[in-house]
Every structure is written in C-alpha cells, then in structure tokens.
Amino acid sequence: MTTDGVRASTQMVGILGWPVRHSLSPVMHNSEFRRLGLDYVYLAWEVAPEFLEQAARGLRALGAVGYNVTIPHKQAIVTCLDELSAEAKMIGAVNVVCLKDGRAIGYNTDAAGWRDDIEQDIPLAGRSLFLIGAGGAARAVAVGACLAGVRRIVICNRRYETAEALAEILHHHFPKLQVECGGPTSGECHQRIRECEVIVNATPVGMAGHGGSPIPAEWLAPTHYVYDTVYTPAETPLLRAARERGCKTRNGIGMLVRQGARAFRLW
Ligand code: NAP
C-alpha cells in the first residue's frame, strides 16, 4: 500500500483491535474509498485493553470520522461512548463508532450484516434457529434473527451459563420468542436440532488453528440450512460435513463484507 492520495484534507477512519494485523477491513475499505474517489483513509490500530479509553479519546480529539471495533474491545468500548443504537443496546456490543458534532455514537452492524447475507438464501421469519455459541457474534446473530421474525432459537453452547445469559437477554427484548439452551454433547440438543431448519455456528471452532466441527456431523440432515460465521478456511469442517449430507451452506465472508458496507454508509 502506498500513501499516494493522502493529503492534509484526508479524513481518517480505522479499526481498533488486539491483535488486528490480520484484519481484512483496511483493504476492503481503502479499495472502496479509492473506487468512489472519496478522500478517506482506513488504518488498523493495535490497541491493548489498558489503552482503549485513551485511544477512543485520542481519535475523538484528532477528528476521526469514526472507527470499527473488534476483538477484544466490542463490549469494553461501550463505556467510552455517548450514545448507542437500539441494536447495539440489545446486543451489548459495538462494532462501529461514528464521531459527529463532538459525540461518539456506537452501532452494531454485525446483526444486520448477517441477516442481509443469510436472507439471500433463506427468509428467516417463522423459522427455528439452532445457534451454536453464545458470545458476541452469537448475540448479534440472535438479535438479527429475532428482528427478522424467527419463532424459536435453540442456543447450544459449551458453557451452559453463557447460553442462559443470552437466553435471558432475548426473553427480555422478545417476550414471544421460544428460547431453549443446551450443550453440544447433550441429548436435548441432538433432539432439538431435528426440529430446526437453520443452523448457525457463531464460535471460532472450525477456523484455521481451531480445527474440528462444533457439533457432531451425524446431527446434520439434508433439510438443514447451515451457515458458518467463520470464513477462513472458506469451507470449515462443519460446512464440508453439511455439504456432504446435501445441506445448503454459506460461510461468513458475506457477513463481514455486509457489516463493513453498513459501517461505510454510517461514516
Ligand atoms: P466470543 O465473544 O469470544 O465468543 C466465543 C463463543 O465461542 C462462546 O460461545 C464460546 O463458548 C465459544 N467457543 C470458543 N471456543 C470454543 C471451543 N473450543 N469449543 C466450543 N465453543 C467454543 O467471540 P465472538 O466475537 O462471538 O466470535 C466468535 C467467532 O465468530 C469468531 O471467531 C469469528 O470467526 C466469527 N465472527 C465472524 C464475523 C463475520 O463477519 N463473519 C463477525 C464476528 C465474529 P463459551 O461461552 O463456552 O466460552
């Protein structure tokens, strides 16, 4: 990358993470800024947790237009902001910050980015979702699914208490939703997955270096639609097992691009 085109007038956006050197966001956003002839530059800032508040204040002082927030800062950044969007409040995490008129406003575009992506293949209204994971990505998927009108969510997570905490949040915001929890080794989850049309993995299991499938391959049936939020490798062990059993599948690259497109429009 060269700095050609960066001038005194160039507006600054970027991403705060720890680590962040692997992020695809700078390439994605800078190529879009260039394509559209916009005088913006997107940088990656590796910020340790103890410096997050200072970094957020510094970006405000420097007049940045906004920034993305990624692991591990998506929840901690909330205390550095003046206002949250309705979705960010429900999810309890922020992945986009806009700095405008001296105020810092937090958004979560993961939920809508995921929904935009999956609904290319399958409308979610009235469906039953089998959700693997209960962390930040799973919360975004769950809220996105509820806003799209799913009828039921089965949360299958390694630690039961995290699944229960997510179930409580969903009960609070979506009282009509049917929510159940279980673990990936439980007979209950095996039974319930048969009653679900859509399966989503929102854990890192299957990522390069985190091999394996988050649920046994035998749980999959050809009637399942399987979405993996992981996108490296492009076909995770879960997606391969699903394809081999005749399921329709999609990985998380579209979610990444679509949450980024929404951030781009906000800035
Ligand atoms: P997180 O908040 O740390 O949550 C991780 C979740 O995965 C928790 O539910 C955790 O279970 C579970 N988990 C972690 N390691 C596990 C293991 N070895 N076996 C079983 N479960 C395990 O992380 P996150 O922000 O939700 O991100 C999760 C993944 O989502 C990321 O790795 C990334 O691949 C993907 N993601 C994709 C996009 C996209 O745009 N495509 C965006 C965000 C995230 P416990 O509660 O039991 O610890």
Side-chain angles (χ1 to χ4, degrees):
M1 152 117 196
T2 71
T3 50
D4 287 0
V6 175
R7 296 178 281 269
S9 57
T10 301
Q11 303 271 11
M12 181 172 66
V13 289
I15 182 162
L16 291 180
W18 175 261
V20 82
R21 296 291 165 229
H22 63 284
S23 173
L24 297 177
S25 295
V27 171
M28 195 165 85
H29 286 285
N30 285 321
S31 63
E32 214 39 28
F33 289 143
R34 275 198 297 275
R35 190 177 71 79
L36 296 170
L38 296 172
D39 188 15
Y40 280 60
V41 66
Y42 189 107
L43 300 166
W45 297 296
E46 202 149 73
V47 176
E50 62 270 32
F51 293 118
L52 179 64
E53 197 190 331
Q54 277 166 275
R57 274 197 277 132
L59 285 168
R60 210 191 277 228
L62 291 169
V65 173
Y67 49 93
N68 278 125
V69 186
T70 190
I71 289 174
H73 304 315
K74 284 185 179 182
Q75 284 165 292
I77 194 71
V78 168
T79 57
C80 308
L81 306 176
D82 301 307
E83 198 181 322
L84 294 183
S85 72
E87 283 182 23
K89 258 187 220 160
M90 280 190 253
I91 297 164
V94 161
N95 72 322
V96 181
V97 175
C98 288
L99 299 169
K100 206 172 171 218
D101 305 326
R103 293 178 64 73
I105 306 166
Y107 298 85
N108 191 305
T109 62
D110 282 337
W114 170 76
R115 179 180 165 186
D116 292 347
D117 198 41
I118 193 171
E119 285 206 315
Q120 292 182 100
D121 291 335
I122 182 165
L124 294 171
R127 306 267 183 198
S128 291
L129 168 67
F130 189 89
L131 177 60
I132 310 163
R139 281 199 210 181
V141 165
V143 167
C146 289
L147 293 173
V150 295
R151 184 173 59 80
R152 176 185 184 197
I153 299 185
V154 178
I155 306 165
C156 175
N157 193 50
R158 183 176 59 177
R159 280 187 302 150
Y160 191 77
E161 59 273 24
T162 333
E164 267 195 322
L166 173 55
E168 250 176 58
I169 294 170
L170 297 176
H171 269 310
H172 176 74
H173 293 290
F174 305 96
K176 288 190 183 151
L177 180 78
Q178 195 183 329
V179 194
E180 292 125 276
C181 304
T185 51
S186 77
E188 277 171 347
C189 272
H190 187 193
Q191 175 56 37
R192 286 170 182 158
I193 201 169
R194 297 195 187 126
E195 300 150 11
C196 295
E197 297 101 345
V198 180
I199 300 172
V200 177
N201 175 39
T203 75
V205 180
M207 236 165 87
H210 291 72
S213 170
I215 52 167
E218 312 79 75
W219 286 15
L220 299 168
T223 46
H224 286 136
Y225 173 92
V226 183
Y227 188 104
D228 203 328
T229 63
V230 174
Y231 50 85
T232 46
E235 186 172 66
T236 59
L238 173 68
L239 292 187
R240 188 169 57 249
R243 179 176 52 77
E244 285 169 0
R245 278 165 178 75
C247 310
K248 188 156 191 193
T249 64
R250 184 178 279 272
N251 73 21
I253 193 73
M255 174 181 177
L256 176 80
V257 171
R258 287 163 191 276
Q259 65 74 28
R262 283 178 173 264
F264 193 92
R265 286 199 290 274
L266 283 167
W267 295 324

